Amino acid sequence: MEIIRSDVAIIGAGGAGLRAAIALAETDPLLKISLISKVYPMRSHTCAAEGGAAGVIKPDDSLEHHFNDTVGGGDWLCDQDAVDYLVREAPKELLQLEHWGCPWSREPDGSVAVRPFGGMQKQRTWFAADKSGFHILHTLFQTSLKFPSIERYDEYYATDLIVDDGRCQGFTAIEMRSGQMRRFEARAVIIAGGGAGRMFPFTTNGAIKTGDGMALAYRAGVALKDMEFVQYHPTGLPNTGTLLTEACRGEGGILLNRNSRRFLQDYGMGPETPVGKPQLKTMELGPRDRVSQAFWHEQKKGNMLPTKYGDCMLLDLRHLGEKKIDERLPLVRDMSISYLGVDPVKDPVPVRPVVHYMMGGIDTDIDAATSLPGLYAAGECACVSINGANRLGSNSLTELLVFGRRAALSAIEFINSGKPSVNEVALSAQAAAAQGRIRGLFEKADGGESLAGLRREMMRTMEENAGIYREEEGLKAACAILSQLRRRYLDVGLTDRTNVYNTDLLQALELGSMLDCAEAVTVSALARTESRGAHQRLDFVERDDGKFLRHSLAYFRSHEPPRVDYRDVVITKSQPGVRDYSGDHK
Ligand SMILES: Cc1cc2nc3c(=O)[nH]c(=O)nc-3n(C[C@H](O)[C@H](O)[C@H](O)COP(=O)(O)OP(=O)(O)OC[C@H]3O[C@@H](n4cnc5c(N)ncnc54)[C@H](O)[C@@H]3O)c2cc1C
């Protein structure tokens, strides 16, 4: 098997992976860096981000405000030392992007424009129209091309970490073009593999968001933290799940039920504000967990609009006018027309909540380090944790910049701390074992299980039992079904046995990742007998700080459901309080 050696190898070339690669190359030009991605970097999900990235820039704002919004928005499950670091580094990172060429939208006086975003008390979301992620990823990608020390391996699929002598020393990956397995040997590895929303059927997430990065670390013994916290975004197109960004509401859009009532005022997010003039942090700019939960209640009351794609609320942008919509929300208009045939300039757009983001992920400390020496993680696949029980919109793009860089600096410190000897025989043996597992998939006689069938069952189970509201009975059933699906997965055989771009093989491996992540979600959700942020239990409706002001940590076990442990949340200055979105906080 071909061996590719580097100092640091990164799995994932989205925002977090590219930011890490640039920081490595800038800090030490002599480092050899491998950047691996299962898709061409510009196809990573960061490209799909619309609304923008949060960072304090305006004179009426402060780091304190950003900190408080984030910690309160996260229902006090955020580690406050990590949030402090995030808000401090955020403006530097966003300015850095500006210097690298990111075309941020401007105010008429030429200064950087910011827009309001859900749960944020001040306007601090930098944006590039409603294509912020596209421009951020482009900026990072083109900057990365300046550094010859970054060697790219596009369309390589990482399958297993290699761990020897108590530290991570690389991984195996399939070169998709040839079907050949490669062994990447590195002194430090950074995982930046993105989210896992595809374990649900109705999601804003691109098809590649299958939790591979999380599963790689999990199977190597690193805990998955706070996996029960899955974010629903309130405004997805009802047929495709395509996101209509929160910036729609940031720019003044309103949400109506079938009776044309701005129903959020009935859920502690009032009072009603004049149309076109949103009050920050209230009504349509309430946090995502609360807005999605309000939808659920309205649906139970029969107040939502039945459509052939399910019950919907209406996102009304008409009062913004064509000029503003075209300037600030061109993609939203385009997508509403293309996918649903509704022009938001003329009609309200039917929308419904859709799975959007994983607050949980690979357990890392504030330095982006995992419990496995030599292994770091950043971006959506990691849980550092700055999002707590509910991420505020526009904190994620900032997070991947801040902690992508941090992971790189930590990896450099690690490799500079010594050069232990490498046992090539042990590493090769592990790579051979990984290869054997893949070969097994090719050689297995059809075990009677279909990939699509298992995937459909997993998605249905997640949607029915681990959605906006949960309860014991459903979660128990979900845990039992998922543990069964994991067993049945062992009988999956491939129908395509060729080597070149074998998508059947990739989908089989991706399904394995999703099943592991999904089980971590449901087992952690069953164990958390309280309601906090995005984890709402119908049978335990109160937040229970006495018992659960703690992160859950799910540990992988091959033949059993994960073991769940807990760790106290880091609290530095903000004691848990009441999340109040009922007044004008301007
Ligand atoms: C539609 C949409 C809109 C959003 N809008 C916003 C917004 O406005 N503001 C905001 O803050 N957040 C937003 N988010 C969230 C945010 O965009 C994501 O959380 C973030 O971009 C994730 O970045 P990442 O670098 O962690 O992962 P990604 O950008 O998802 O990149 C993951 C990388 O990992 C690679 N990879 C994965 N598995 C493997 C494997 N097995 N082998 C090799 N490579 C692998 C992929 O190829 C890819 O390069 C949005 C999300 C969505 C879905």
Side-chain angles (χ1 to χ4, degrees), residues 11-17 36-41 43-54 117 125 132-133 137 156-159 173 192-195 204-206 208-213 216 242-243 245 288 356-357 378-381 391-398 400:
I11 301 172
I36 287 97
S37 174
K38 67 178 174 178
V39 294
Y40 188 70
R43 297 182 73 89
S44 304
H45 191 75
T46 300
C47 193
E50 301 169 20
F117 238 68
T125 298
S132 309
L137 196 61
Y156 278 63
Y157 182 96
T159 65
T204 63
N205 285 195
I208 61 168
K209 295 191 73 171
T210 53
D212 300 338
L216 282 170
T242 310
L243 178 77
T245 169
R288 290 176 184 176
H356 185 55
Y357 183 85
E380 189 171 342
C381 70
R391 172 178 75 96
L392 292 192
S394 76
N395 264 350
S396 166
L397 290 172
T398 307
L400 61 84

Side-chain angles (χ1 to χ4, degrees), residues 504-540:
D504 202 24
L505 169 64
L506 295 184
Q507 286 178 13
L509 296 172
E510 288 176 338
L511 177 62
S513 301
M514 287 191 284
L515 284 171
D516 286 351
C517 291
E519 197 182 33
V521 170
T522 53
V523 170
S524 307
L526 178 62
R528 188 175 284 274
T529 49
E530 66 155 357
S531 287
R532 182 187 297 271
H535 172 69
Q536 292 292 314
R537 293 274 305 243
L538 290 167
D539 43 357
F540 295 93

Side-chain angles (χ1 to χ4, degrees), residues 133-160:
F134 171 85
H135 288 297
I136 290 175
L137 196 61
H138 233 294
T139 304
L140 291 170
F141 185 52
Q142 71 193 13
T143 303
S144 77
L145 299 177
K146 286 199 305 202
F147 299 99
S149 60
I150 301 174
E151 186 101 34
R152 284 218 328 273
Y153 296 88
D154 297 342
E155 301 186 333
Y156 278 63
Y157 182 96
T159 65
D160 295 79

Side-chain angles (χ1 to χ4, degrees), residues 140-342:
L140 291 170
F141 185 52
Q142 71 193 13
T143 303
S144 77
L145 299 177
K146 286 199 305 202
F147 299 99
S149 60
I150 301 174
E151 186 101 34
R152 284 218 328 273
Y153 296 88
D154 297 342
E155 301 186 333
Y156 278 63
Y157 182 96
T159 65
D160 295 79
L161 293 184
I162 295 181
V163 181
D164 187 47
D165 192 24
R167 63 203 157 86
C168 182
Q169 301 194 35
F171 50 88
T172 46
I174 301 166
E175 183 192 37
M176 287 153 61
R177 189 180 42 178
S178 64
Q180 297 302 306
M181 193 91 154
R182 309 277 181 243
R183 171 153 80 80
F184 285 83
E185 190 177 312
R187 293 160 67 199
V189 172
I190 299 173
I191 302 185
R198 278 279 159 171
M199 61 177 117
F200 286 81
F202 189 60
T203 173
T204 63
N205 285 195
I208 61 168
K209 295 191 73 171
T210 53
D212 300 338
M214 296 181 191
L216 282 170
Y218 183 47
R219 292 175 194 147
V222 178
L224 292 183
K225 182 159 76 192
D226 293 339
M227 287 296 277
E228 60 271 42
F229 297 98
V230 177
Q231 177 163 79
Y232 276 76
H233 194 299
T235 59
L237 286 180
N239 48 351
T240 57
T242 310
L243 178 77
L244 297 191
T245 169
E246 196 165 280
C248 295
R249 287 166 283 140
E251 297 294 348
I254 56 174
L255 290 175
L256 304 170
N257 66 15
R258 68 185 293 177
N259 309 316
S260 299
R261 180 169 173 79
R262 291 174 71 191
F263 59 94
L264 293 174
Q265 60 189 299
D266 303 328
Y267 297 90
M269 280 175 274
E272 185 169 8
T273 51
V275 171
K277 214 175 164 301
Q279 280 171 283
L280 295 168
K281 231 179 135 184
T282 60
M283 290 296 286
E284 282 80 8
L285 283 176
R288 290 176 184 176
D289 55 343
R290 293 279 171 89
V291 178
S292 296
Q293 287 151 21
F295 169 89
W296 187 92
H297 288 287
E298 285 287 283
Q299 187 183 31
K300 293 273 167 235
K301 290 181 196 161
N303 287 344
M304 287 300 165
L305 190 73
T307 74
K308 65 176 168 181
Y309 308 116
D311 289 345
C312 290
M313 53 190 155
L314 292 167
L315 174 64
D316 195 349
L317 302 175
R318 288 172 300 177
H319 51 280
L320 302 183
E322 186 165 11
K323 184 165 173 287
K324 184 162 184 182
I325 291 176
D326 282 347
E327 183 200 318
R328 293 290 175 97
L329 303 165
L331 186 63
V332 164
R333 183 175 188 192
D334 204 29
M335 290 192 304
S336 305
I337 294 172
S338 303
Y339 294 129
L340 204 61
V342 178

